């Protein structure tokens, strides 16, 4: 198995994440044209409940596996890593099977009582097969991440995305003649097929290396001496405390994710109920919610591919550093992660703010969605740095602190949704304001908790530099959009102005030393070129 460095692992996951996000916009653009915004709303209504079930089943399992496997590998105990995998797999599959049966049995009650639109029933049924599939996939991904081998996770996620997109659009198209509810259910069935193929891909990579075969087939050998037999037995049997420690690590993380998942579910229910109190019809409220969750937020989270990659790579890296009590490495990794998250996310936030309406018109043929995107874009940086901060707290054995911070933000968000979205003056924009306040609150609390824990301080001058660079880029992008001679071709006008803004941004971040050529020396392929350039 190939172990990558922190930067290499992050870049592998980043490449897969960016590709997945870009590919993910194919159904975001095409699906509303097949099943309409109301159909997208039905699809999105079923998704939060599914996220809750997945969180209960897998929650903190991948992170706990990654942490435990990283510690075992650091101690030179590969057999223990396999024992951790076996115990985790049994636990996750059992939980997945149990909740699959429960969700099928309770589907009529959930869709008619809890969720605000009964048409979500078919979508709800279509999603249940994914529970066991995701349970298995999450265990193997956590195992590979603990080994600091990000290739299986990255490659299987790309395969899953490609298959999901094709099946999602195809099934939605086939079932749409039966009605919007069936069209949304077809999209969810396509998602299930993609998850199945992704699971098969990661299993093929695991067993392809021969580990599974070696464990399943006994080796013909002469019986060892009694004393050797006694010594080898302790190495081969799973430690009885593995499951207990797995649950102890995973439970607080699962709790933190449960807060987020339940918050997402309650947000779905409360937003639609509040819009109804504001006098908005159910079909219109479903369409508005579909536009927010299915169009605006995915676009806003596009740069989050890097932050998610950083968060995944941070867990084993910080766990190893913490086990060695290496505070210098912990500070170095945090500084790298936050700087990368801010520098990479800033230009996208500017483009989504300055060119919000033309961007949404080009992607979704819906300029009105741009007003929601423009509201959220200036606060996107809080979302981009939140994942690395939360991963750091979890890796440093402070998942309870992350849970408390997430809970505080969720309570504030729910209260604001009830107060603002039910007011006809705000409507769906009230839900947007609540989401913004939530992201700011949780991120600031995570940063404060990490600062108190390890004394970490992000250089204030870098914040000032990033802010100044964003203002310069925004002004240049807006000027280019308004004055470059491409008014007759909207897509070219957008593309040229955004490109000009990005080029200016990269020039300025090098001039201000937010990024230096040496930062690229460890990047695969191009790192050699930058290394030679620096020596010259």
């Amino acid at each position: 198995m190939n172990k990558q460095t922190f930067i290499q692992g992050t870049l592998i996951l980043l490449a897969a994440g960016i590709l997945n996000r870009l590919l993910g916009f194919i159904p975001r653009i095409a699906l509303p044209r097949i099943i309409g915004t109301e159909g997208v709303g039905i699809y999105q209504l079923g998704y939060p409940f599914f996220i809750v079930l997945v969180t209960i089943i897998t929650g903190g399992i991948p992170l706990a596996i990654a942490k435990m496997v990283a510690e075992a590998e650091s101690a030179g105990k590969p057999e223990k890593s396999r024992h951790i995998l076996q115990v985790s797999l049994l636990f996750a599959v059992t939980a997945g099977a149990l909740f699959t049966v429960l969700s099928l049995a309770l589907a009529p009650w959930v869709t008619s009582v809890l969720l605000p639109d009964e048409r979500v029933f078919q979508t709800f049924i279509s999603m249940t097969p994914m529970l066991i599939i995701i349970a298995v996939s999450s265990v193997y991904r956590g195992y590979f991440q603990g080994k600091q081998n990000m290739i299986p996770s990255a490659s299987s996620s790309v395969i899953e995305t490609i298959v999901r997109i094709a099946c999602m659009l195809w099934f939605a198209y086939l079932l749409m003649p039966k009605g919007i509810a069936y069209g949304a259910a077809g999209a969810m069935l396509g998602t299930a097929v993609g998850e199945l193929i992704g699971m098969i891909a990661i299993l093929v990579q695991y067993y392809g290396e021969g580990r599974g075969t070696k464990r399943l087939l006994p080796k013909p050998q002469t019986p060892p001496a009694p004393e050797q037999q006694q010594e080898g037995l302790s190495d081969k049997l799973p430690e009885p405390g593995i499951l207990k420690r797995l649950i102890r690590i995973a439970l607080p993380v699962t709790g933190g994710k449960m807060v987020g998942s339940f918050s997402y579910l309650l947000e779905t229910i409360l937003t639609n109920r509040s819009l109804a109190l504001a006098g908005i019809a159910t079909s219109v409220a479903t369409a508005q919610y579909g536009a927010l969750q299915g169009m605006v937020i995915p676009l806003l989270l596009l740069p989050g591919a890097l932050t998610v990659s950083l968060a995944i790579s941070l867990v084993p890296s910080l766990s190893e550093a913490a086990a060695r009590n290496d505070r210098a490495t912990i500070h170095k990794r945090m500084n790298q992660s936050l700087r990368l998250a801010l520098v990479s996310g800033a230009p996208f936030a500017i483009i989504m703010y300055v060119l919000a309406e033309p961007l949404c018109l080009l992607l979704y043929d819906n300029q009105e969605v741009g007003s929601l995107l423009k509201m959220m874009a200036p606060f996107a940086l809080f979302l981009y740095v939140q994942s690395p901060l939360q991963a750091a707290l979890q890796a440093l054995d402070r998942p309870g602190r992350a849970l408390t911070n997430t809970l505080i933000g969720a309570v504030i968000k729910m209260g604001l949704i009830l107060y603002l979205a039910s007011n006809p003056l705000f409507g769906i924009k009230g839900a947007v304001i609540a989401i913004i306040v939530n992201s700011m609150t949780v991120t600031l609390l995570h940063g404060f908790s990490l600062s108190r824990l390890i004394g970490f301080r992000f250089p204030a001058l870098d914040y000032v530099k990033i802010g100044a660079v964003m203002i310069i880029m925004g002004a240049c992008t807006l000027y280019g959009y308004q004055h470059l001679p491409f008014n007759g071709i909207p897509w070219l006008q957008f593309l040229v102005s955004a490109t000009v803004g990005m080029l200016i941004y990269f020039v300025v971040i090098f001039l201000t030393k937010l990024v230096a050529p040496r930062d690229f020396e460890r990047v695969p392929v191009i790192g050699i070129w930058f290394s030679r350039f620096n020596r010259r």
Side-chain angles (χ1 to χ4, degrees), residues 314 318 327 330-331 333-335 337-338 385-398 401-402 405 442-458:
L314 263 179
L318 291 186
R327 187 173 289 263
I330 293 173
H331 281 249
R333 293 287 179 258
M334 287 307 307
N335 198 3
S337 301
L338 294 182
V385 301
Q386 188 176 122
S387 294
L389 289 173
Q390 182 162 320
L393 288 173
Q394 292 165 348
L396 297 173
D397 287 327
R398 293 297 185 276
R401 186 67 258 175
N405 297 340
V442 175
T443 301
L444 292 174
L445 288 175
H446 282 349
F448 179 73
S449 299
L450 194 63
S451 177
R452 292 189 62 186
L453 177 63
I454 62 173
F456 177 76
R457 297 289 187 276
F458 188 81

Side-chain angles (χ1 to χ4, degrees), residues 120-140:
V120 78
F121 175 77
Q122 289 84 358
T123 302
F124 191 90
I125 293 295
S126 301
M127 75 186 187
T128 51
M130 286 189 282
L131 296 177
I132 295 180
I133 297 171
I134 292 176
V136 174
S137 298
S138 66
V139 169
Y140 281 96

Side-chain angles (χ1 to χ4, degrees), residues 473-489:
M473 177 188 169
C476 295
T477 303
L478 182 61
Y479 181 85
Y481 186 78
Q482 293 176 343
H483 295 90
L484 288 175
F486 299 105
N487 292 335
I489 312 174

Side-chain angles (χ1 to χ4, degrees), residues 384-534:
Y384 302 153
V385 301
Q386 188 176 122
S387 294
L389 289 173
Q390 182 162 320
L393 288 173
Q394 292 165 348
L396 297 173
D397 287 327
R398 293 297 185 276
R401 186 67 258 175
L403 168 61
T404 302
N405 297 340
T406 306
L407 181 60
I408 292 171
V411 171
I412 294 173
K413 180 171 68 172
M414 294 304 107
L416 287 175
I417 287 177
L418 280 173
Y419 179 72
L420 295 176
S422 60
N423 188 332
L425 295 176
F426 291 97
I428 192 65
K429 291 184 178 180
V432 171
I433 294 171
I435 294 171
I436 291 171
V437 173
N438 167 263
S439 65
M440 293 175 62
T441 301
V442 175
T443 301
L444 292 174
L445 288 175
H446 282 349
F448 179 73
S449 299
L450 194 63
S451 177
R452 292 189 62 186
L453 177 63
I454 62 173
F456 177 76
R457 297 289 187 276
F458 188 81
L461 182 60
D462 285 351
Y463 285 115
V464 176
K465 288 180 180 179
I466 290 172
V469 174
M470 290 175 70
I471 293 173
I472 293 171
M473 177 188 169
C476 295
T477 303
L478 182 61
Y479 181 85
Y481 186 78
Q482 293 176 343
H483 295 90
L484 288 175
F486 299 105
N487 292 335
I489 312 174
W491 67 268
L492 187 58
Q493 183 181 6
F494 171 86
L495 185 62
V496 172
S497 57
T499 302
V500 169
M502 290 288 281
L503 289 174
I504 292 172
Y505 176 81
F506 282 114
V507 170
V508 178
I509 62 171
F510 274 103
L511 291 176
T512 57
K513 297 183 179 180
L514 280 169
V515 175
R518 65 176 179 274
D519 293 328
F520 293 92
E521 288 185 10
R522 298 177 69 184
V523 177
V525 182
I526 65 171
I528 298 174
W529 185 87
F530 273 99
S531 179
R532 293 174 181 172
F533 175 80
N534 288 338

